[in-house]
């Protein structure tokens, strides 16, 4: 039955041309590469896939020939009447040769010109003899974690919503042709962003001679395999967080619909509770899904009068962190920093992760525990929002250890941390620049608009060494371009602010405010391996360079403090001697907030608000300090 459906067909091509025929002689237009290594079809290389290819399959066409993408050179497209609303579904058969050694996009949608829209990627897997398939609206793909075999034919089905956000989904099938989108199950890849609100063509691209890809059975429709459209239409959803805390919050999704009251529909959500208007009895309304945990995407399926599957991407219900701000990176080793409640990921690529390498970093006068974070090269950037500030000075400090500078060769250096108005307008940037494999200079800049304006130290710093760095951004409202950024390297803890190691001020567009801190992975030639710990942000020197009186640690034998973090009212302490203990608890500004004796190995901390503290424990004249987190 599915082979007889053809509603909403945009284009189709089975590539059954004369052996060796050029696509440009058969309805395709070259848009890049001219006639160099023109794309052609093979000799009886048509792909076979049960129920899709062949006269008895969905395509109802002989298997014949197929298109070959195996060179660097000509790229081609087929254009059609531009589509500015609704959804495009495109499907094709693909077979990747075992000799394929390329990563890149070769198939997808174009706008009304030759600008690429939604793009399908292939890359060699880290597993020998396998490949991964990916999809994106930009130049960096979201790949399925599944490995697929080379020299094997797969059916690829892609859904693209024609909007500026451009939601997309991809299914990869090794057998069978799903009759409905619901029957296809969960997509291998789904995401959105940087979409095209107009689609006017389909392209085939030869990006390198190392690719060895065969394509056949191309179909484009406005519905799933050209099925008669459902009267019920689901519009773009909105999501709203019910709270924004450091805990795991819930959100509500609202999905407008039209075309209801035309059949009996059954709604199922993969998470949460469905309420709102019933499309079985209401023509126009809103389907509401409540009680969904942030970070959990929803799949809404509609069956009955028609089959619809809609994926709703979860929002991040993360708070704006108050100043002064402290981050000890005490996360589980291997966790993505952007998945934690104080941070969010921006861009795509390798994650910034918590690492157990050497545990936390150490510096005289700073109490450190747990893990740190590690990143290098290109990849995801992480941002942490904080209370917006536009006057005075905003400081940030952290411990850092830079790995080898081998390969970090950019003549301008590269910046890896700073503050910003948002995720794109950045300033107070901290830079490294290679001296040689084991030495580097540090630099700062008011704004990132021109790397040539970066002020670098003449002092060389060594890889493999831990440094305590402080950066301050001073707003000057007198003029539009005279803000100052300062750098201190290894200032003394428990001491007043010394003279800055470096300052930078030059004619530039200054920040209007500071409201986010970022860690940045730019490229392999700009970003070395960075291990970073003990981040502090504030508007006073004491916020970022602790002024707590020095607390000696005389190693209380067998000292244990638990739980940490504390989510209840009681902190427990034990030791080998198990003698009388007393505790003093200080906030990060050095103010004593609690003093008590330990009774039955317990201390009541119910009066402490959520945050990070330093605990001084005394037993038999010996003292120890520990960092404590109250949730």
């Amino acid at each position: 039955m599915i082979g007889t459906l053809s509603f909403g067909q945009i284009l189709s091509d089975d590539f059954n041309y004369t052996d060796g025929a050029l696509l440009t002689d058969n309805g395709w237009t070259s848009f890049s590469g001219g006639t160099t290594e023109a794309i052609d079809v093979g000799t009886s290389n048509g792909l076979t896939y049960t129920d899709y290819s062949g006269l008895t399959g969905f395509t109802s066409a002989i298997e014949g020939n197929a298109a070959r993408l195996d060179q660097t050179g000509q790229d081609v497209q087929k254009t059609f009447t531009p589509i500015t609303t609704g959804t495009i579904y495109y499907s094709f058969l693909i077979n990747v040769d075992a000799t394929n050694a390329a990563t890149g996009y070769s198939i997808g949608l174009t706008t009304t010109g030759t600008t690429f829209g939604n793009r399908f990627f292939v890359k060699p897997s880290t597993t020998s003899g396998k490949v991964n398939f990916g999809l994106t609206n930009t130049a960096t793909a979201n790949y399925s974690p599944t490995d697929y075999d080379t020299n094997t034919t797969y059916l690829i089905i892609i859904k693209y919503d024609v909007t500026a956000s451009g939601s997309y989904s991809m299914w990869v099938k090794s057998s069978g042709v799903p009759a409905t989108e619901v029957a296809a199950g969960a997509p291998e890849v789904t995401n959105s962003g940087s979409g095209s609100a107009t689609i006017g063509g389909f392209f085939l691209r030869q990006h390198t001679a190392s690719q060895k890809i065969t394509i056949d059975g191309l179909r484009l429709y406005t519905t799933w395999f050209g099925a008669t459209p459902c009267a019920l239409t689901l519009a773009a959803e909105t999501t709203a967080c019910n709270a924004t805390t450091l805990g795991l919050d819930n959100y509500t999704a609202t999905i407008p619909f039209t075309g209801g009251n035309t059949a009996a529909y059954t709604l199922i959500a993969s998470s949460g509770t469905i309420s709102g208007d019933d499309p079985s009895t209401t023509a126009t309304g809103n389907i509401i899904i409540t009680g969904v945990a942030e970070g959990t995407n929803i799949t809404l399926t509609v069956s009955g009068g028609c089959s619809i599957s809609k994926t709703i991407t979860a929002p991040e219900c993360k708070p704006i962190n108050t100043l002064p701000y402290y981050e000890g990176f005490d996360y589980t080793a291997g966790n993505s920093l952007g998945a934690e409640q104080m941070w969010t990921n921006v861009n795509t690529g390798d994650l910034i992760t918590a690492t157990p390498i050497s545990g936390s970093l150490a510096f005289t006068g700073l109490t450190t525990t747990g893990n740190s974070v590690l990143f290098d090269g290109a990849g995801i950037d992480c941002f942490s929002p904080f209370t917006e500030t536009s006057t005075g000075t905003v400081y940030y400090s952290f411990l850092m250890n830079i790995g080898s500078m081998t390969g970090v060769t950019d003549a301008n250096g590269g910046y890896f941390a700073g503050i910003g108005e948002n995720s794109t307008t950045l300033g107070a940037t901290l830079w490294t620049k290679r001296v040689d494999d084991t030495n580097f200079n540090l630099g700062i800049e008011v704004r990132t608009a021109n790397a040539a304006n970066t002020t670098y130290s003449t002092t060389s710093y060594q890889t493999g060494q831990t440094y305590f760095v402080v950066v301050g951004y001073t707003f000057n409202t007198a003029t539009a371009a005279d803000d100052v950024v300062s750098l201190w390297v290894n200032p003394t803890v428990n001491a007043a602010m010394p003279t800055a190691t470096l300052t930078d001020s030059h004619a530039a567009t200054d920040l209007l405010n500071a409201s986010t801190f970022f860690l940045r992975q730019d490229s392999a030639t700009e970003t070395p391996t960075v291990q970073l710990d003990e981040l502090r942000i504030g508007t006073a020197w004491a916020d970022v360079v602790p002024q707590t009186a020095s607390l000696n640690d005389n190693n209380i034998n067998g000292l244990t403090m638990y739980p940490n973090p504390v989510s209840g009212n009681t902190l427990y302490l034990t030791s080998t001697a198990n003698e009388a203990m007393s505790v003093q608890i200080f906030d990060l500004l050095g103010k004593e907030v609690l003093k008590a004796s330990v009774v039955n190995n317990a201390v009541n901390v119910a009066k402490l608000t959520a945050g990070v503290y330093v605990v001084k424990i005394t037993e038999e004249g010996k003292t120890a300090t520990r960092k404590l987190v109250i949730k």
Side-chain angles (χ1 to χ4, degrees):
M1 179 184 70
I2 197 169
T4 66
L5 300 175
S6 59
F7 185 92
Q9 180 170 293
I10 302 170
L11 67 83
S12 66
D13 202 324
D14 295 300
F15 303 104
N16 289 326
Y17 310 128
T18 305
D19 293 350
L22 304 183
L23 295 195
T24 50
D25 290 336
N26 292 278
W28 294 78
T29 303
S30 171
F31 67 89
S32 179
T35 59
T36 303
E37 301 293 356
I39 300 177
D40 61 1
V41 299
T43 302
S44 299
N45 68 332
L47 299 181
T48 299
Y49 187 98
T50 303
D51 295 331
Y52 189 87
S53 66
L55 294 173
T56 59
F58 169 73
T59 59
S60 299
I62 61 171
E63 287 165 355
N65 292 330
R68 300 187 291 198
L69 306 178
D70 56 4
Q71 293 292 337
T72 302
Q74 185 185 79
D75 305 326
V76 299
Q77 66 175 340
K78 263 193 177 181
T79 58
F80 43 79
T81 301
I83 296 172
T84 58
T85 187
T87 301
I88 294 176
Y89 293 86
Y90 62 98
S91 62
F92 54 89
L93 300 179
I94 187 169
N95 191 299
V96 182
D97 192 272
T99 60
N100 185 88
T103 296
Y105 59 94
S106 50
I107 302 160
L109 304 173
T110 67
T111 65
T112 52
T114 57
T115 303
F116 295 121
N118 187 250
R119 309 169 217 198
F120 173 81
F121 279 67
V122 176
K123 74 171 182 178
S125 169
T126 55
T127 304
S128 178
K130 305 283 187 176
V131 293
N132 301 116
F133 298 134
L135 194 65
T136 184
N137 294 330
T138 63
T140 304
N142 297 297
Y143 286 97
S144 167
T146 305
D147 285 339
Y148 295 98
D149 294 322
T150 54
N151 298 329
T152 302
T153 298
Y154 293 97
L155 171 62
I156 308 295
I157 308 165
I158 294 172
K159 176 184 179 180
Y160 177 77
D161 290 337
V162 187
T163 65
S165 61
S167 298
Y168 56 83
S169 301
M170 176 180 71
W171 293 263
V172 181
K173 298 297 179 181
S174 58
S175 63
V177 181
T180 66
E181 185 174 336
V182 172
E188 294 291 310
V189 171
T190 184
N191 213 323
S192 64
S194 302
S196 300
T198 300
I199 297 296
F202 185 87
F203 73 85
L204 297 175
R205 176 174 178 260
Q206 296 189 125
H207 58 92
T208 174
S210 298
Q211 71 174 351
K212 305 293 180 186
I213 301 172
T214 301
I215 300 297
D216 204 0
L218 172 64
R219 295 292 187 273
L220 274 75
Y221 293 100
T222 56
T223 60
W224 184 268
F225 288 110
T228 302
C230 178
L232 179 66
T233 300
L234 303 182
E237 74 279 359
T238 59
T239 56
C241 296
N242 299 326
T244 53
T245 71
L246 288 175
L248 194 63
D249 300 308
N250 291 333
Y251 73 95
T252 297
T254 301
I255 306 99
F257 68 84
T258 57
N261 199 23
T262 52
Y265 298 103
T266 299
L267 309 180
I268 299 175
S270 59
S271 184
T273 301
I274 296 177
S275 61
D277 300 309
D278 183 356
S280 297
T281 58
T282 306
T284 301
N286 293 295
I287 299 167
I288 300 174
I289 305 175
T290 58
V292 187
E294 65 170 300
T296 301
N297 296 340
I298 307 169
T299 299
L300 174 65
T301 57
V302 181
S303 58
C306 56
S307 296
I308 303 174
S309 178
K310 185 176 185 64
T311 299
I312 299 163
T313 302
E316 290 187 327
C317 304
K318 298 180 179 180
I320 295 175
N321 302 291
T322 57
L323 297 178
Y325 168 119
Y326 171 77
E327 170 64 278
F329 302 109
D330 291 335
Y331 303 121
T332 302
N335 277 15
S336 163
L337 181 61
E340 304 297 344
Q341 287 297 101
M342 293 172 68
W343 296 84
T344 188
N345 285 329
V346 177
N347 303 326
T348 58
D350 293 339
L351 298 170
I352 295 176
T353 58
T355 174
I357 297 176
S358 303
S360 59
L361 299 177
F363 187 79
T364 301
L366 294 180
T367 301
T368 63
T369 61
N371 289 322
S372 50
V373 289
L374 187 72
F375 57 95
D376 64 359
I380 280 175
D381 304 332
C382 282
F383 284 75
S384 185
F386 57 80
T387 308
E388 182 178 306
T389 303
S390 58
T391 60
T393 300
V394 176
Y395 299 91
Y396 66 83
S397 71
F398 49 72
L399 298 179
M400 72 171 193
N401 192 306
I402 302 296
S404 171
M405 297 299 291
T406 303
V408 186
T409 56
D410 190 287
N412 291 317
Y415 62 97
F416 65 91
I419 59 176
E421 298 174 20
N422 45 49
S423 63
T424 56
T425 305
L426 310 176
T429 48
L430 183 62
W431 297 62
T432 59
K433 183 167 65 173
R434 182 180 186 275
V435 175
D436 54 40
D437 287 354
T438 59
N439 291 274
F440 60 93
N441 298 127
L442 285 173
I444 49 174
E445 189 182 8
V446 173
R447 280 288 301 274
T448 59
N450 185 353
N453 288 332
T454 304
T455 299
Y456 276 102
S457 65
T458 55
T459 302
S460 292
Y461 300 94
Q462 290 186 317
T463 59
Q465 299 293 317
T466 296
Y467 296 96
F468 180 36
V469 296
V470 182
V471 177
Y473 186 96
T474 302
F475 294 94
N476 188 335
T477 58
T479 68
D482 60 354
D483 291 355
V484 177
V485 63
S486 304
L487 169 69
W488 294 262
V489 180
N490 291 344
T492 302
V493 177
N494 303 320
M497 180 194 301
T499 301
T501 306
L502 290 176
T503 60
D504 176 68
S505 179
H506 54 265
T509 303
D510 296 328
L511 296 178
L512 298 179
N513 64 69
S515 58
T516 188
F517 176 85
F518 69 89
L519 297 175
R520 180 173 184 260
Q521 299 183 114
D522 191 354
S523 70
T525 61
E526 294 175 87
T527 310
T529 301
V530 181
Q531 187 179 359
L532 190 144
D533 201 3
E534 295 297 307
L535 171 65
R536 290 175 170 85
I537 306 170
T539 56
W541 182 258
D543 293 342
V544 297
V545 181
Q547 303 297 297
T548 304
S550 178
L551 301 174
N552 295 324
D553 191 336
N554 294 325
N555 294 322
I556 297 174
N557 291 333
L559 178 64
T560 302
M561 186 178 80
Y562 65 94
N564 193 9
V566 176
S567 55
N569 297 328
T570 306
L571 175 69
Y572 295 94
L573 297 113
T574 63
S575 70
T576 301
N578 202 28
E579 295 294 332
M581 288 185 189
S582 64
V583 299
Q584 292 172 274
I585 300 180
F586 302 87
D587 65 19
L588 292 181
L589 298 182
K591 178 183 177 183
E592 183 181 275
V593 294
L594 188 150
K595 183 176 183 179
S597 296
V598 179
V599 179
N600 295 326
N601 300 110
V603 177
N604 188 331
V605 293
K607 293 183 178 180
L608 298 183
T609 59
V612 180
Y613 300 86
V614 174
V615 182
K616 177 184 178 182
I617 306 121
T618 302
E619 181 190 56
E620 294 185 316
K622 296 179 180 180
T623 62
T625 60
R626 296 289 186 270
K627 182 166 63 178
L628 172 67
V629 178
I630 302 290
K631 284 192 173 181

